[in-house]
Structure formats: C-alpha cells, structure tokens
Amino acid sequence: MTDNGASFIPPQTFVECGICKGNANISWFCKNCPTSLCDACATTHRATEQYKFHTIVERTYTVLRLFGPAKIAEQCEVHPEKDISSYCNECDAPCCISCLVQNHQRHEISTIEDKYLDAERRLNVYYKQLDTVDEMEEQTKEDVKEDNFKVEKVINDINEFREDFIQNFNRSCDDLITEVNQISKKTTEAFRGIEESKKMIESLKKEIEEKIERGKLDIIKYQPPKLESLVPKIERHKRVNITFEPSMKILEVMKESAGEIKSKEIEREEMDRSKMLRSVHVQKLHSFDSKIGVTSLTTAGNNMAWVMHHSSPTMYLYNDKGDVVTSVKVGGSEGINDMAITQSGEMIVTCEDKRTMCVSVNGTVSTMIDTEPFGCYGVCVTDKQEIVVCMGDQGDKNHVAVYSSDGRSKAREIRSRDGQGKHLITNPYRVVQNGQDLCVVNYGRNVVCVDERDNVRWMYDGKKAKLGRSFYPLGICVDKYNNLLVTDLTKHCVHYIDREGGLIQVILTQEPGLMGHSGICVDDDIWHVWVGIAMGKVVIAKYLK
C-alpha cells in the first residue's frame, strides 16, 4: 500500500503464459502471435518449425512495461475508503466491493487485473501495427526514392536528347549554308566569265568597224582571229534550283538523334535488367485461407486480387489482408476457369459450361461468346482490346482464338506448328500478352510464345531449372519487365522466365503451407506476387527488391 491506499503490482504478477497458462517466470513476449510466454514455452516456441521466424523479445519491452510498473489499484471515487477491485463491462466503469453490491448486481464483471491484461494485449497488437506502418513508411520512402531516381533519369535523357538534337541541327544548318555558299561562288564565277566575254566581243566589233572605215581593200585582207582563241568558251549557264525544306532536314536530324537515344534506351534496359537480376530476393509476407480452392488469380490493383476455382460459379475479390471485399456470381452451378479485365473495367470470364461471360461495371452478367463444342479456359485482353481465349477438349483441333473487343467476330486462330508441321498448341490452358507476343501454357506440358503472325518465338519446357521432375505448368502472369512467372504444380515452385524464354530463377519453392501452386498474378507497383493453392490458400510474397 502507498500513502493513499493504492498498491502497485508489476504486470507479471497476474500475466499468464499464452501456451501453458501458467504464471511462473513470464519473461518473454512473441510479437507475431502476440502473447506472453514463460521460459519453457519460449524455448519450445523458438524450436518449433512453424514458428521459427517469429520474433520473441523479453517482456520488459512490451508496451506497458515501457512505462514502468502499472498502477492497478486505485481508490473508488464513490467510496474513497475502498480500493477498486473490479470493472463493470456493461457500465464501462471501475468498481469497488460496495459499488458491485449497490449498483452492478447481475452485470458482467471482470477483475481489474483482467482488464489490465486485456489492455496490455490490445496495446501490444496496436504497437505491432505501428511497426507495420513504420515498415510501410520505409518502403514508401524507398519507392519514392526510386521514382525520383527514374524521374531524374528521364530528365537527364531529355536534356541529352535536346543537346544532341541542337548539335545535329546546327551541324545540318552549317552544311546547308556551306552548300548554298558554294552555289553562290559558282554563280559569281559564271557572271565574271560573261563580263570578260562581253569585253572581248566589244573589242572585236570595234576592230571590224575600223577596217570598214578604211576601205574595201582592208576588209578583203582582214582575217579575224578565231573566237576560241580570243574569247573563253561560253556555255549557257544552267539554272540552279536552290530550295530549303527545314521540315525534312529536321526530320533527318531527329531520326539520327532518335537512333542514338534508342541505343541508349537499349543500353539502359540492359542495365535495368542486370539490376533486376541482382535484386531477385523472395520474401514470403503472409498467407490466408480462401473460401474456395484457387485455380486462377487476376490482379485488381490497390493490393487486391480476384480468386476463382473451376468448381465454383462465384469469384471473390480479396485484399492483401485476406478479407473478402466483394463477390460476383457469374453462372449457375458451373465453375469459373479464368478472368481478365478490360480497360473500361468490364470483366471477361471463361466458365466450365463453355461460355465466355461479360460482367459489366454495374454488375450485369451476359453471355459474350459461346465456345461450343470447345471448352474455354484461359483468357486475356490485349492492348488492342482483343479478347484471347484458350479453346480445349477437342484434341488436335485445340487452338487459341482471338476475338474482337465485343466478342462478335473471330479475328484469327492460333495453332502454331514447328518446322516438321507438328501441332504445338496442344492443350491451351492459360494465355497472357507479353509485348506483341502471346504466351500460352499447354496444360501440364510447356509454355509456347508466338508472335502476331503465329510464328513460334520460343518454347519453355522447364528443363533449364534442373529440378529432376517433369515440368507441370498451370498459372502464368507477366510483370512490367516483360518477364513471366509460371507456377509448377509438381515441383511446388514458380519459374521466373525472361522475355526470350530463358530461366532467370526458380522462386517460392516448396515449404510448409505452400504446396500445389496453381493460379498466379503480380502487382507491379509493389512487386508482390500472389500464388493460389488449389486446396484453398493464397500466399503473398515480394519477389524483387
């Protein structure tokens, strides 16, 4: 007791271990759970594989401990002679024994120690969230720093282009002026020759006139000199067509400068690519259970993604905390295979009932393409707003179909054959656009990249990964480097492939809770990759620094 009758009780006097529920030697605190731990349970917690990455600190660093021993007992305001011992949850008020008897009978009552413990837990969770905010702040600072660096690079490129353009333009103008001056010099020389010829002709005329005045005999005897010996050869001066077309000259200079800039862009891309390769560093952030199994994922921006399964007619929009933001039921009892979002916000959905549906921005669902007899699987929307659909279930007739933006007309079919005429699009399951190319996943076999003319650019069969098992690709997505991320069901990993089909690295390999990789999508803004597990789990990881 103190002078005023209140006692000071250290928190560990009443805090219990979150695992064994004992209250002896509660010296540790797990930030991840979060919960207090005794010495024995802290040792076990560290040694358990599931919790090996948890952060365990001494309880002296928990929130309320930062401010010294907590004052538990205080005098009652209504009955100053008595100490507060309880707390009425219904009235949200502290109580002494007399208060309980007089005013709070049949109310829900907690001990003051329990309320203190609850407050400590809540504040510890709050502090953990503050730590997350600090981490987000640091990440934001890094992102802003990187963005500023990119802006500075662009400004430098613009200034370099301006300097190069001005130099090349001035050089072109100097060349034009030199050319015009040379033409002027030739014109002046031509005029000078004409003047000399005129003087010689005048002299000859005068000489002939003098002979005529002297008499006929002088004219008869007079032998005029040959003109060639006295007068320079005079040719009619050719007219010079002098024109100046500044727009054409500027265009030539700009082409020249643009070529130099393009070379710099290629060089910078290679530098960026080299930097990117050095920065591949996978950090598993967290995972959450979904309402359905996950066979397909589509990013929706703002740290959200759509989750689909081929046995469920409803798709769910999740945020990165694992909360359902909204859901859309597309069909009857049939499931959803894949989904893509157009520039206008419409969702193009392929369903198990061999129909491609359109979900408008106001939620209206309508049939866009009837793919009968083909099953429709993967779908993507190109930068030209064409709709690309994987057509399967028909053996050697399987192909990838490209439709107009409204789905009413088929622009072309992609079948792709090798040099021996062998069919390469055998079982199209997923498709994405990468630049001007389309990358198609043949279910459980390989990835084929074709250009706009249906020519095969490359094929990836997983052998470069040297994983010792057959490659079984299912999901695919493309990041802003035009590199591909492909899920491998049998090896439980993701193949990170460059734009030319070369293996960069195998990431997100098999670990507890991460087996059966199926759907995948990527959020380029923060380099987060979402991996869907067919059994009903979504894993979010950061794969680039």
Side-chain angles (χ1 to χ4, degrees), residues 203-220:
S203 176
L204 284 172
K205 284 182 178 180
K206 186 178 181 180
E207 183 178 347
I208 292 171
E209 289 173 357
E210 290 177 351
K211 295 293 184 182
I212 292 173
E213 289 179 357
R214 289 176 186 170
K216 294 181 180 179
L217 186 60
D218 288 341
I219 295 174
I220 294 172

Side-chain angles (χ1 to χ4, degrees), residues 293-487:
V294 186
T295 53
S296 182
L297 282 164
T298 300
T299 183
N302 298 320
N303 298 332
M304 295 187 292
W306 287 96
V307 172
M308 292 146 280
H309 192 272
H310 56 68
S311 65
S312 171
T314 303
M315 54 187 184
Y316 296 87
L317 179 63
Y318 280 89
N319 62 24
D320 60 353
K321 301 295 188 300
D323 303 320
V324 176
V325 178
T326 187
S327 62
V328 176
K329 187 174 182 180
V330 178
S333 59
E334 299 290 344
I336 297 172
N337 286 322
D338 199 13
M339 186 266 281
I341 302 175
T342 68
Q343 287 182 353
S344 59
E346 294 178 329
M347 294 184 288
I348 311 300
V349 185
T350 54
C351 301
E352 280 284 295
D353 62 359
K354 301 181 180 180
R355 289 187 301 164
T356 299
M357 314 294 288
C358 176
V359 182
S360 66
V361 292
N362 60 12
T364 303
V365 181
S366 60
T367 300
M368 175 175 275
I369 304 169
D370 187 347
T371 62
E372 184 75 33
F374 293 93
C376 51
Y377 294 96
V379 62
C380 75
V381 178
T382 69
D383 53 10
K384 298 178 181 178
Q385 294 304 289
E386 293 176 320
I387 299 171
V388 184
V389 183
C390 293
M391 302 290 200
D393 302 336
Q394 295 297 311
D396 59 0
K397 296 181 181 178
N398 293 344
H399 63 280
V400 174
V402 182
Y403 291 88
S404 60
S405 60
D406 56 8
R408 295 179 181 176
S409 61
K410 184 186 290 187
R412 64 186 187 278
E413 293 182 356
I414 298 174
R415 298 182 180 275
S416 297
R417 300 179 183 273
D418 61 13
Q420 286 73 41
K422 183 180 179 181
H423 196 188
L424 297 180
I425 305 296
T426 55
N427 199 5
Y429 183 67
R430 292 289 183 264
V431 59
V432 293
Q433 185 184 29
N434 192 8
Q436 298 302 313
D437 302 329
L438 290 175
C439 297
V440 183
V441 172
N442 282 315
Y443 184 87
R445 297 184 182 180
N446 52 36
V447 179
V448 179
C449 178
V450 298
D451 62 18
E452 291 183 300
R453 298 181 179 179
D454 199 11
N455 298 314
V456 177
R457 293 195 63 245
W458 52 263
M459 184 169 65
Y460 181 82
D461 57 9
K463 293 180 181 179
K464 297 176 182 177
K466 299 180 180 179
L467 297 177
R469 298 178 69 174
S470 60
F471 181 46
Y472 206 99
L474 288 184
I476 188 170
C477 64
V478 59
D479 65 18
K480 68 180 182 181
Y481 279 123
N482 288 338
N483 296 325
L484 299 160
L485 295 102
V486 182
T487 57

Side-chain angles (χ1 to χ4, degrees), residues 36-58:
S36 298
L37 302 170
C38 66
D39 291 345
C41 290
T43 302
T44 304
H45 205 64
R46 290 191 183 97
T48 303
E49 178 71 17
Q50 184 178 356
Y51 308 116
K52 66 179 181 179
F53 295 111
H54 284 200
T55 302
I56 299 176
V57 298
E58 292 185 44

